[in-house]
Amino acid sequence: MTTFELTPVGVGSADTGAACCSPLVTEPMDAARAEQLASSFKALADPTRLRLLSIVAKSEGEEACVCDLIEPVGLSQPTVSHHLKILATAGFLERSKRGTWAYYKLVPGALDRMSQLLADG
Amino acid sequence: MTTFELTPVGVGSADTGAACCSPLVTEPMDAARAEQLASSFKALADPTRLRLLSIVAKSEGEEACVCDLIEPVGLSQPTVSHHLKILATAGFLERSKRGTWAYYKLVPGALDRMSQLLADG
């Protein structure tokens, strides 16, 4: 399993401000910004998390119950929940609880912000 | 240092075909594709590598000598070379040797392909 630091990187939050969307290629990046972005990429640097994200993204309302994510990726519920938590901490998914199960929804714009960052300036 | 698998992922090569650019959000991703993409994100999931990429991208001709990358990131030449090699193996940079020094150039379209992948479908 990938070593992972659970530091909030706020790709989906307002606190990153305008700097959040500066393309990687328009200016040399300072160390603090690079640390923050590397954390976001770490959240995406795992095949299970990429599959979970793509399944959630294709689900109705871009939201899925943990209970519906276990079978498609073929892993245990605790493992799936662990990966979903990393994606939520990184700002790609938001979690809500209804009854017994947790639901995860794609944070609007979070993937797009990462996309813009990599686009040619 | 991040644990890193040096598997070629071919973001900048033709062998990935049309699948290279399918947005993450348009269809559930199979396990093989997810492994490949996770490797690309691993290459980006390090602050030094992000800084090196952004410096190369801003250099004349989107190319820089290793000798000019050491001071901006404040690391030793072997460490800088190690990170550049990871970026080259992942298909983001291409390496050429002239005289004593190695030069690294941004692979045209490689970052854009990752960008398109994350864009909303």
Side-chain angles (χ1 to χ4, degrees):
Chain A
M1 192 173 290
T2 311
T3 309
F4 202 85
E5 294 164 47
L6 279 173
T7 47
V9 294
V11 290
S13 65
D15 66 353
T16 51
C20 87
C21 305
S22 304
L24 179 65
V25 295
T26 53
E27 55 189 317
M29 190 177 292
D30 69 31
R33 181 72 184 129
E35 284 282 353
Q36 187 187 40
L37 281 174
S39 293
S40 296
F41 283 121
K42 270 182 202 157
L44 300 177
D46 179 277
T48 299
R49 291 198 286 277
L50 288 176
R51 294 182 74 198
L52 289 169
L53 261 186
S54 79
I55 296 166
V56 170
K58 284 304 285 177
S59 301
E60 196 180 330
E62 296 186 333
E63 186 177 56
C65 172
V66 174
C67 55
D68 293 325
L69 294 168
I70 297 164
E71 189 275 330
V73 294
L75 296 168
S76 71
Q77 186 259 307
T79 302
V80 170
S81 291
H82 165 77
H83 284 300
L84 290 167
K85 189 176 172 190
I86 288 171
L87 288 167
T89 302
F92 294 112
L93 294 179
E94 59 193 5
R95 181 182 188 275
S96 59
K97 192 133 190 226
R98 283 175 240 151
T100 313
W101 290 101
Y103 288 74
Y104 283 88
K105 189 177 166 68
L106 212 60
V107 171
L111 289 174
D112 259 351
R113 275 187 279 274
M114 295 300 283
S115 169
Q116 287 163 29
L117 182 99
L118 292 170
D120 275 341
Chain B
M1 192 173 292
T2 312
T3 309
F4 201 85
E5 297 165 44
L6 278 174
T7 48
V9 293
V11 290
S13 63
D15 66 353
T16 50
C20 89
C21 305
S22 305
L24 180 66
V25 296
T26 54
E27 55 189 316
M29 190 177 291
D30 68 32
R33 180 73 185 128
E35 284 283 353
Q36 188 187 39
L37 280 174
S39 294
S40 297
F41 284 120
K42 269 180 203 160
L44 300 176
D46 179 277
T48 299
R49 291 198 287 276
L50 288 175
R51 294 183 74 198
L52 289 169
L53 261 186
S54 80
I55 295 166
V56 171
K58 284 304 285 177
S59 301
E60 195 180 330
E62 296 186 334
E63 186 177 56
C65 172
V66 175
C67 56
D68 292 325
L69 294 168
I70 296 164
E71 188 274 330
V73 295
L75 295 168
S76 71
Q77 186 259 309
T79 302
V80 170
S81 291
H82 165 78
H83 285 299
L84 290 167
K85 190 175 171 191
I86 289 171
L87 288 168
T89 303
F92 293 112
L93 295 178
E94 57 193 8
R95 182 181 185 275
S96 60
K97 193 135 189 224
R98 281 175 240 151
T100 314
W101 289 101
Y103 288 74
Y104 283 87
K105 188 177 166 67
L106 212 60
V107 170
L111 289 174
D112 259 351
R113 276 188 278 276
M114 295 300 282
S115 168
Q116 287 163 30
L117 182 99
L118 291 170
D120 275 341

